[in-house]
Amino acid sequence: MSRLLIMGPPGAGKGTQASTLAERIGGVHISTGDIFRENVSQQTELGRTAQRYMDAGEYVPDEVTNAMVRDRLAQGTTREAFVLDGYPRTLDQVETLDGILDELGVKLDGVVSLVVDTDEVVARLLKRAETSGRSDDTEDVVRHRQEVYRVETAPLLEVYSQRGLVREVDGLGEIDDVAERIDEALASLA
Ligand code: AMP
């Protein structure tokens, strides 16, 4: 289990789980949201492009996101072990990722699907908004991001399910408990 995706609606706790999961598998945590945010704070050209989409709760265009992930996966030994967090989010990104991994001569081992109640995550995100300072944590944007996920990204789970790669994990509860469930779910894929 060394090449993994983690999926789930905004606020499901993907970032937290992806980060510790990457440590446990000895791999690299690649969060497209984090990379965009770093670029925004460093005011790079990529950051300027990404920011207006992020602020509106929209997806950054596929060609921008795909190019960024392609670069990131080709770095050093990343291809050997990674957890992709927040990518792919569209069918176009799924196809691009398939192509990138093919070129690198590696395959995905599994997809963790964090399952949470939408009302619960909206409440969680609104709480995060009080302290995060993230410009995409306002109520309208939070709700819009859930909708964009439902329409654009949730269908990707079907694609990966057909490949036999998806394991659903209950995302509610203590961080350590969820992590344990993820490890158990992945063990059943091995
Ligand atoms: P996240 O931290 O994963 O929730 O991502 C925050 C924001 O970054 C998203 O709402 C999008 O605007 C943008 N973003 C992150 N990953 C992607 C992606 N794979 N495709 C398009 N936009 C993305």
Side-chain angles (χ1 to χ4, degrees):
M1 284 299 120
S2 15
R3 297 178 199 98
L4 303 169
L5 306 184
I6 189 155
M7 293 183 60
K14 286 191 299 293
T16 308
Q17 292 300 334
S19 157
T20 62
L21 176 59
E23 273 172 33
R24 295 198 296 285
I25 66 166
V28 182
H29 172 205
I30 305 173
S31 155
T32 42
D34 284 352
I35 302 175
F36 283 134
R37 279 185 288 277
E38 273 160 32
N39 277 276
V40 169
S41 69
Q42 289 166 14
Q43 300 189 318
T44 66
E45 200 182 324
L46 174 65
R48 278 192 290 275
T49 304
Q51 185 163 27
R52 50 201 166 99
Y53 296 99
M54 296 171 79
D55 285 353
E58 300 288 351
Y59 288 166
V60 177
D62 285 335
E63 60 271 23
V64 176
T65 311
N66 284 334
M68 187 175 87
V69 172
R70 184 182 294 278
D71 280 354
R72 190 67 195 78
L73 280 171
Q75 278 173 27
T77 56
T78 300
R79 74 190 65 177
E80 300 308 330
F82 56 80
V83 179
L84 267 173
D85 156 16
Y87 181 92
R89 267 173 147 115
T90 64
L91 285 170
D92 182 87
Q93 293 180 11
V94 170
E95 282 166 23
T96 300
L97 178 61
D98 286 345
I100 296 171
L101 296 179
D102 259 3
E103 282 165 29
L104 295 172
V106 296
K107 278 194 184 326
L108 277 184
D109 296 317
V111 177
V112 174
S113 166
L114 284 180
V115 179
V116 288
D117 179 72
T118 307
D119 290 340
E120 179 83 25
V121 291
V122 168
R124 227 196 248 188
L125 286 172
L126 293 177
K127 193 151 196 293
R128 182 173 81 179
E130 292 167 13
T131 53
S132 72
R134 272 178 57 153
S135 50
D136 58 354
D137 269 351
T138 64
E139 180 155 5
D140 281 354
V141 175
V142 162
R143 294 199 189 281
H144 184 59
R145 290 172 73 222
Q146 297 294 327
E147 184 60 12
V148 173
Y149 177 84
R150 194 180 65 77
V151 173
E152 300 261 356
T153 305
L156 272 49
L157 283 167
E158 186 51 36
V159 174
Y160 287 117
S161 288
Q162 282 169 8
R163 301 184 193 177
L165 289 175
V166 177
R167 289 296 178 271
E168 287 192 348
V169 173
D170 176 1
L172 278 187
E174 297 296 321
I175 290 173
D176 290 350
D177 294 338
V178 177
E180 211 174 299
R181 283 178 221 144
I182 290 177
D183 288 346
E184 280 166 18
L186 289 174
S188 76
L189 267 169

